Amino acid sequence: MNEKYSGIYQDMVEQLGEEITVQIFNVYKGQQITFPMRFYSQEYVITYLKENYNGENIQELSRELGYTSNWLQKLIRKNIKNNK
């Protein structure tokens, strides 16, 4: 199977499986795709912070969500502390 697929498709088959890779290929072939660094929407992150931020766990939440603690602090100041 190593030589059946070209370049990134080989990596995708190894990570996602052949069936999903073929589906992705059929839908997106010919397009250039870039995956943004920010996986979650800002609305989701705000909701998650409202439910999980305890005033002391910003570093832990930063690791969980994949965002910098500075960016999360800005969201907290703008969206959480003002609403409490």
Side-chain angles (χ1 to χ4, degrees), residues 40-50 67 71 75 79:
Y40 299 110
S41 70
Q42 184 169 327
E43 293 78 17
Y44 172 80
V45 173
I46 291 167
T47 301
Y48 189 86
L49 289 171
K50 286 179 180 178
Y67 297 97
W71 189 73
L75 285 181
N79 298 283

Side-chain angles (χ1 to χ4, degrees), residues 65-78:
L65 295 168
Y67 297 97
T68 66
S69 57
N70 287 340
W71 189 73
L72 295 179
Q73 289 285 11
K74 287 179 187 177
L75 285 181
I76 290 166
R77 281 193 299 273
K78 288 173 68 174

Side-chain angles (χ1 to χ4, degrees), residues 5-14 21 24-25 28-30:
Y5 299 102
S6 168
I8 189 68
Y9 297 116
Q10 181 176 332
D11 295 339
M12 290 174 66
V13 167
E14 290 173 9
T21 301
I24 291 170
F25 173 78
Y28 297 105
K29 64 184 167 191

